[in-house]
Amino acid sequence: MKTIGVIGAGQMGAGIAQVAAQSGYRVLLSDINLEAAEKGKAGIAKRLARAVEKEQISAGGADAACERIAPQRDYSTFAEAELVIEAATERESIKRTIFAEIGKAMKPDAILATNTSSIPITRLAQAAPDPARFMGVHFFNPVPVMKPIELIRGLATSDDTVAKVEAFAQSLGKTVVHANDAPGFIVNRVLLPMLNEAIFALGEGVATVKDIDAAVSLGLNHPMGPLTLADFIGLDTCLEIARVLHEGTGDPKFRPAPLLVKYVDAGWLGRKTGRGFYDYSGPEPVPTR
């Protein structure tokens, strides 16, 4: 593979584009419009510049990575890509629409992968141009830092597709783990119930935001508390994953916490909106409850 397409220039898509470009791939980066794709590239350039300041990468390496990323106005150029990775919003209807459109542009032997963190791959494959050349490739945020990639094959995914995507993932310096096509896969199947339970505890008055985060972070030796992590992920994303787990398994233990639903309804989605379980408008995050 030499050319990779990335659909979605937000937090996850930009991170995928960055690590692919740093690993020598040419990257076609698209979003809802050219301006959004260019904004995604500008964010990558800023992160690479900070990495240069910290002597984590050379100035020449940063410049070369940026030059390999080409923002796109539409999907017409994606026929050049051997692998296209969709990293759009975690909503099945949006992903299905994207698959239908990108399928018109991809070359016959190209692979389409989705960065979904929870939606079943076999179900999504129904909207892919060829289910045999479709699979899940779940990166973790922040992509340049986090080492694992979950690979998930659907019922129709071919062995050749899995082998090629695994080779690509390893070429990025990532650690590959394989998950069966079950709701939430591995990490979110384990993580989301913990975050959801922390939100239940907050809503029921068990403790404050600050004390829940401190207790879990220190007591379980986690780098950050569950409510801080939920804000970092995005409360809307947490809710979508919780709903997929609940609906996909039918198990009431995955029922989304009412307070999580309320925060999402209010538009308090965490860091990306400036307010979630913490208020990020000042120099330091301040708990909102």
Side-chain angles (χ1 to χ4, degrees):
M1 294 183 186
K2 295 182 179 180
T3 302
I4 306 300
V6 177
I7 301 174
Q11 196 172 48
M12 292 303 298
I16 294 168
Q18 178 181 329
V19 297
Q22 286 185 257
S23 298
Y25 294 95
R26 178 170 176 254
V27 180
L28 307 175
L29 180 63
S30 75
D31 207 292
I32 55 174
N33 53 45
L34 180 59
E35 292 72 23
E38 290 176 336
K39 181 179 179 181
K41 180 176 179 178
I44 293 169
K46 289 181 181 179
R47 287 191 292 275
L48 288 172
R50 288 196 294 269
V52 171
E53 292 175 0
K54 296 177 182 179
E55 299 184 347
Q56 297 171 339
I57 185 176
S58 68
D63 290 342
C66 279
E67 289 175 2
R68 295 188 190 104
I69 300 172
Q72 304 297 304
R73 185 177 301 278
D74 52 42
Y75 299 149
S76 59
T77 59
F78 275 58
E80 304 170 29
E82 291 95 351
L83 169 66
V84 176
I85 301 173
E86 170 274 315
T89 302
E90 188 70 354
R91 292 183 184 174
E92 186 168 344
S93 60
I94 293 175
K95 293 180 184 296
R96 284 177 171 271
T97 299
I98 289 172
F99 298 160
E101 290 301 314
I102 192 63
K104 301 172 186 176
M106 291 172 60
K107 57 185 178 180
D109 60 344
I111 294 169
L112 176 60
T114 175
N115 186 56
T116 181
S117 55
S118 61
I119 302 172
I121 301 305
T122 297
R123 194 167 76 209
L124 285 177
Q126 296 172 0
D130 180 359
R133 290 181 289 106
F134 178 80
M135 68 178 297
V137 52
H138 181 211
F139 290 79
F140 292 82
N141 188 37
V143 179
V145 176
M146 300 296 282
K147 294 293 291 183
I149 292 180
E150 286 181 325
L151 296 187
I152 311 98
R153 67 188 302 161
L155 189 62
T157 306
S158 70
D159 292 340
D160 181 62
T161 295
V162 174
K164 288 178 178 177
V165 175
E166 181 167 8
F168 166 73
Q170 291 173 338
S171 75
L172 304 182
K174 301 296 187 181
T175 299
V176 171
V177 294
H178 292 270
N180 289 326
D181 187 20
F185 315 132
I186 301 170
V187 174
N188 281 323
R189 177 67 176 263
V190 175
L191 173 64
L192 257 294
M194 183 190 75
L195 302 186
N196 197 43
E197 191 61 31
I199 299 168
F200 265 116
L202 178 65
E204 294 169 7
V206 173
T208 64
V209 168
K210 183 178 179 180
D211 285 341
I212 290 172
D213 269 354
V216 174
S217 178
L218 298 174
L220 300 181
N221 197 28
H222 289 185
M224 66 180 76
L227 301 175
T228 296
L229 179 55
D231 271 0
F232 183 73
I233 294 169
L235 302 189
D236 54 337
T237 300
C238 290
L239 179 57
E240 290 291 339
I241 297 170
R243 283 173 170 162
V244 167
L245 288 168
H246 188 215
E247 293 167 8
T249 65
D251 193 327
K253 73 181 180 183
F254 295 117
R255 177 175 68 93
L259 186 60
L260 174 60
V261 177
K262 184 177 291 187
Y263 269 47
V264 172
D265 286 345
W268 295 4
L269 309 183
R271 281 188 172 272
K272 60 186 174 184
T273 60
R275 189 179 183 90
F277 294 114
Y278 291 86
D279 183 336
Y280 299 93
S281 59
E284 295 292 334
V286 177
T288 54
R289 292 176 72 93

